[in-house]
């Protein structure tokens, strides 16, 4: 065989290999071929799972139009509403009562009516209040009912309303246009304020007794990662009045000292009676807080490959993976939630869902020492962020768009805000290498299915996972990343945290994370419990479900919770 023939054959072989690789990498994703349920049963379960499906954008818009036409009061778009206006704060799925759903799923009962729950702020009433309405049936609403008293035991006072995005903008305008101008020398010479170089971060709660709506707002350099660039100035704003022109400053704090207002701070500065700490101005990228890589690009990270396509299937809001099946959704306030979790066709949990993420801080600055963030009030689902393939989730994950309606009259699409993927866990599920008497090896690859969303609430990015293992275990896991919360470092600040930079104190804090776990192992439980974890470390809890075919077996009705 001459050299020319060898080269031709080699070229053809390389072209064939290249074509095969391209086909494998670009092939249309197909449902896994190894199904544990007949196709007909899959179709039934897919249809049944829609009882838990999030509202579609069309359904949200229908609810808005119905409320606009049937409440008899004007509704202003929440994105531009004043505190004295009426507006729709949010619209979400009204999950049907469990008893109704089980009759539908298990006993051939009627499908529960599809309904929405709408939270409205009524600021333009004789007695301003927060009201919750259930609106239905969808997709064409014909009724609404007030469920506020039923759920909360009475009317909800207006001062308890979670803050809308527009109110933060209004507070920012109040500080810029009315508060800062009352201390011109201090703001220009100490803060080097130009109208745009300071960012404002809210503390919470908004007071410490019923009726309060006063909030500490902490100022930072407005750069990338501003959360770790405090400038030492904090302002307590009383924004309880429904008339923005009546808002006022209750107290000012700068570098360890309290002042009645900005005018008093200005007077002390002009008279030289203030201890000034000039904070070094950092570049726009934030310097040490920049997310830009510090090292030059290295070799590419390893990637996961599915040689025969995914071994799971996603149809609408229903997932099938080996012996597992479940429905998923995204609540505006609480985020990722799962329903009707089954193993080998048997329901083991009716609901697994995130409920709340609370963080408690300590500091020698008022904003930090008073902060008790309850992130559900901001909206764990509302602030679910897009997921980046190859970083937030594997490239080959299935990405799902979600929709929400909050702080606006129009639904918002959150592109690729939820992902589902199977991952190799890197160690065998079981194995044995026999070198006594007989020689053999037996092993089983260990993998798990992950459903993930990431909520960015202020400085924190919460990575929420529910993980389904081959051995029948379900794990709920959350990791907190993003930026730490910080205070201005002064005085005895190191008693309350660690120094992150010259004037930056990383404040001591504790995270409390709550899940709802409604188990139906071996039959309907009739009750649920909250799994709560308190830590400054990533949280992981695991529900281990043991199955046996013997009815009423002790293990069949057992579940254990590990932190």
């Amino acid at each position: 065989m001459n050299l020319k023939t060898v080269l031709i054959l080699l070229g053809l072989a390389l072209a064939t290999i290249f074509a095969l690789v391209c086909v494998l990498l670009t092939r249309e994703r197909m449902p896994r071929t190894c199904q544990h349920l007949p196709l007909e049963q899959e179709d039934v379960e897919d249809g049944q799972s829609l009882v838990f499906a999030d509202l579609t954008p069309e359904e949200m818009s229908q609810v808005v139009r119905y409320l606009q036409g049937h409440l008899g009061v004007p509704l202003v778009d929440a994105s531009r509403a004043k505190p004295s206006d009426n507006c729709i704060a949010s619209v979400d799925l009204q999950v049907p009562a469990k008893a109704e759903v089980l009759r539908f799923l298990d006993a051939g009962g009627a499908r529960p009516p599809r309904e929405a729950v709408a939270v409205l702020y009524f600021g333009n009433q004789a007695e301003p209040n927060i009201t919750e309405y259930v609106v239905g049936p969808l997709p064409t609403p014909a009724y609404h009912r007030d469920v506020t008293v039923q759920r909360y035991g009475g009317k909800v006072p207006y001062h308890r309303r979670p803050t809308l995005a527009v109110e933060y903008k209004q507070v920012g305008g109040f500080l810029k246009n009315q508060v800062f101008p009352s201390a011109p020398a201090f703001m220009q010479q100490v803060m080097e304020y130009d109208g745009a170089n300071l960012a404002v971060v809210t503390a919470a709660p908004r007071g410490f007794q019923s009726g309060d709506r006063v909030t500490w707002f902490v100022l930072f350099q407005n750069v990338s990662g501003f959360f770790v660039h405090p400038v030492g100035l904090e302002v307590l704003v009383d924004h309880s009045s429904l008339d923005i022109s009546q808002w006022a400053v209750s107290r000012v704090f700068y570098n360890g000292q309290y002042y009645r207002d900005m005018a008093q701070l200005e007077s002390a500065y002009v008279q030289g009676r203030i201890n000034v700490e000039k904070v070094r101005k950092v570049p726009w990228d934030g310097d040490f807080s920049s997310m830009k890589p510090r090292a030059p690009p290295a070799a590419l990270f390893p990637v996961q490959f599915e040689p025969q396509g995914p071994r799971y299937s996603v149809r609408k809001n229903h997932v099938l993976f080996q012996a597992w099946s479940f429905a998923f959704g995204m609540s505006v306030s609480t985020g990722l939630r799962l329903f009707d979790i089954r193993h080998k066709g048997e329901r083991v949990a009716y609901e697994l869902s995130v409920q709340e993420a609370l963080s408690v801080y300590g500091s020698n600055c008022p904003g930090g020492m008073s902060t008790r963030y309850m992130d559900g009030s901001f909206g764990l689902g509302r602030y679910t962020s897009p997921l980046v393939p190859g970083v937030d989730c594997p490239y080959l994950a299935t990405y799902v768009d979600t929709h929400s309606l909050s702080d606006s009259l129009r639904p918002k699409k959150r592109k690729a805000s939820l992902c589902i993927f199977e991952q190799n866990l890197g160690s065998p599920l079981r194995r044995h290498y026999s070198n006594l008497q007989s020689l053999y090896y037996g092993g089983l690859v260990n993998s798990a299915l992950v459903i993930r969303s990431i909520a960015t609430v202020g400085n924190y990015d919460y990575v929420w996972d529910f993980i389904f293992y081959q051995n029948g275990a379900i794990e709920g896991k959350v990791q907190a990343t993003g930026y730490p919360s910080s205070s201005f470092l002064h005085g005895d600040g190191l008693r309350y945290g660690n120094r992150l930079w010259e004037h930056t104190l990383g404040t001591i804090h504790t995270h409390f994370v709550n899940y709802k776990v409604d188990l139906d192992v071996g039959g309907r439980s009739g009750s649920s419990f909250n799994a709560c974890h308190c830590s400054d470390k990533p949280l992981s809890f695991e529900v281990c479900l043991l199955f046996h075919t013997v009815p009423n077996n002790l293990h069949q009705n057992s579940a254990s919770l590990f932190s």
Side-chain angles (χ1 to χ4, degrees):
M1 186 179 294
N2 58 39
L3 180 61
K4 183 177 180 180
T5 303
V6 172
L7 291 175
I8 292 173
L9 291 175
L10 181 60
L12 290 173
L14 290 174
T16 302
I17 293 171
F18 179 78
L20 288 172
V21 170
C22 289
V23 168
L24 287 172
L25 292 178
T26 62
R27 63 185 293 180
E28 181 176 345
R29 308 197 71 184
M30 299 173 59
R32 63 188 181 90
T33 57
C34 181
Q35 305 287 353
H36 72 274
L37 293 175
L39 188 59
E40 295 79 5
Q41 190 169 345
E42 277 190 41
D43 292 336
V44 170
E45 288 200 3
D46 289 344
Q48 289 181 333
S49 71
L50 293 177
V51 74
F52 304 109
D54 292 340
L55 299 180
T56 65
E58 294 75 18
E59 288 174 326
M60 295 175 187
S61 297
Q62 288 280 16
V63 171
V64 169
R65 284 192 287 269
Y66 174 86
L67 293 172
Q68 289 174 321
H70 290 79
L71 295 184
V73 295
L75 295 175
V76 176
D77 191 316
S79 64
R80 53 183 177 83
K82 300 187 294 293
S84 56
D85 288 329
N86 304 320
C87 68
I88 300 173
S90 66
V91 174
D92 205 352
L93 173 70
Q94 170 63 30
V95 179
K98 180 178 180 179
E100 293 181 55
V101 174
L102 292 184
R103 278 195 295 271
F104 166 65
L105 295 179
D106 302 340
R111 179 184 291 270
R114 188 158 169 80
E115 297 176 322
V117 58
V119 179
L120 280 84
Y121 293 177
F122 288 116
N124 188 14
Q125 289 193 355
E127 293 184 22
N129 65 87
I130 309 168
T131 301
E132 285 193 11
Y133 291 111
V134 169
V135 181
L138 300 176
T140 308
Y143 60 81
H144 66 280
R145 62 181 183 272
D146 187 340
V147 295
T148 313
V149 174
Q150 172 189 339
R151 294 184 175 180
Y152 303 104
K155 293 184 177 181
V156 180
Y158 197 56
H159 66 264
R160 294 184 186 173
R161 69 192 184 281
T163 306
L164 297 173
V166 67
E167 188 170 352
Y168 289 121
K169 293 180 181 178
Q170 291 159 351
V171 169
F174 169 71
L175 292 171
K176 179 178 179 179
N177 300 322
Q178 298 185 47
V179 177
F180 296 157
S182 61
F186 175 83
M187 292 302 296
Q188 181 179 7
Q189 298 169 21
V190 179
M191 298 287 111
E192 300 182 26
Y193 183 58
D194 62 7
N197 65 328
L198 294 178
V200 178
V201 174
T202 180
R206 316 205 178 281
F208 292 97
Q209 61 184 13
S210 182
D212 282 353
R213 197 170 180 82
V214 291
T215 306
W216 280 103
F217 290 93
V218 185
L219 277 80
F220 297 80
Q221 294 190 61
N222 190 18
V223 296
S224 177
F226 60 81
F227 302 102
V228 289
H229 293 285
V231 296
L233 180 63
E234 304 184 11
V235 181
L236 181 62
V237 176
D238 182 346
H239 50 123
S240 56
S241 176
L242 303 191
D243 182 352
I244 295 177
S245 67
Q246 298 301 309
W247 288 359
V249 170
S250 298
R251 194 68 60 89
V252 172
F253 178 87
Y254 174 71
N255 194 21
Q257 296 294 319
Y258 288 91
Y259 302 90
R260 182 178 62 254
D261 51 27
M262 290 296 290
Q264 187 183 38
L265 172 62
E266 172 80 353
S267 176
Y269 172 70
V270 171
Q271 296 174 25
R273 296 185 292 104
I274 187 173
N275 181 21
V276 173
E277 282 284 353
K278 287 282 288 184
V279 177
R280 179 171 62 87
K281 191 172 183 179
V282 297
W284 171 246
D285 69 0
D287 192 16
F288 75 92
S289 65
S290 171
M291 284 288 182
K292 292 181 179 178
R294 291 340 189 239
L300 295 177
F301 287 91
V303 296
Q304 186 167 294
F305 177 57
E306 297 171 336
Q308 294 179 312
R311 304 195 309 156
Y312 62 89
S313 66
V314 182
R315 296 189 182 187
K316 298 179 180 177
N317 70 321
H318 190 249
V319 177
L320 281 172
F321 170 66
Q322 296 184 350
W324 291 106
S325 67
F326 59 88
F328 63 86
M330 184 76 70
S331 163
V332 171
S333 59
T334 61
L336 183 60
R337 55 189 180 185
L338 308 184
F339 293 98
D340 196 25
I341 300 103
R342 303 189 186 205
H343 188 273
K344 296 182 179 178
E346 179 183 354
R347 183 179 303 109
V348 296
Y350 180 77
E351 180 181 355
L352 295 177
S353 58
V354 181
Q355 293 295 299
E356 184 59 272
L358 169 70
S359 49
V360 179
Y361 289 83
S363 174
N364 61 344
C365 295
M369 72 173 68
S370 63
T371 290
R372 312 287 187 267
Y373 286 133
M374 296 184 70
D375 291 327
S377 67
F378 297 98
L380 295 173
R382 177 183 291 115
Y383 291 107
T384 294
S385 60
L387 301 173
V388 177
V391 180
D392 296 327
C393 303
Y395 286 107
L396 292 181
T398 298
Y399 293 84
V400 180
D401 299 338
T402 61
H403 299 83
S404 67
L405 193 152
S406 60
D407 290 65
S408 174
L409 289 176
R410 296 177 179 82
K412 178 182 179 182
K413 181 179 180 178
R414 297 169 299 205
K415 188 172 179 59
S417 52
L418 189 151
C419 73
I420 302 164
F421 59 93
E422 183 183 1
Q423 64 177 1
N424 189 311
L425 299 180
S427 61
L429 178 63
R430 66 169 184 265
R431 60 97 66 190
H432 181 67
Y433 179 84
S434 176
N435 56 7
L436 297 176
Q437 298 187 25
S438 58
L439 297 177
Y440 65 88
Y441 168 82
L444 184 64
V445 175
N446 196 9
S447 70
L449 185 82
V450 180
I451 179 168
R452 170 177 296 166
S453 69
I454 302 180
T456 302
V457 187
N459 57 304
Y460 276 120
D461 293 62
Y462 292 105
V463 183
W464 302 100
D465 287 349
F466 285 110
I467 308 170
F468 294 83
Y469 294 95
Q470 296 181 74
N471 63 357
I474 309 171
E475 180 182 4
K477 180 180 179 182
V478 59
Q479 302 171 76
T481 179
Y483 288 97
S485 183
S486 71
S487 290
F488 189 75
L489 179 57
H490 72 92
D492 61 350
L494 293 179
R495 294 180 56 194
Y496 303 93
N498 298 292
R499 184 194 295 268
L500 301 182
W501 202 242
E502 183 181 4
H503 295 291
T504 304
L505 175 70
T507 49
I508 188 171
H509 62 280
T510 299
H511 291 278
F512 299 79
V513 179
N514 290 81
Y515 289 81
K516 180 180 180 182
V517 181
D518 185 351
L519 297 179
D520 277 1
V521 181
R524 181 180 174 185
S525 66
S527 62
S528 62
F529 64 93
N530 284 334
C532 177
H533 184 87
C534 313
S535 176
D536 58 354
K537 300 178 181 178
L539 161 69
S540 176
F541 79 82
E542 186 173 332
V543 179
C544 296
L545 307 175
L546 308 178
F547 298 93
H548 293 264
T549 56
V550 180
N552 299 321
N553 183 283
L554 174 63
H555 294 295
Q556 189 179 24
N557 293 283
S558 67
S560 55
L561 185 69
F562 302 94
S563 292

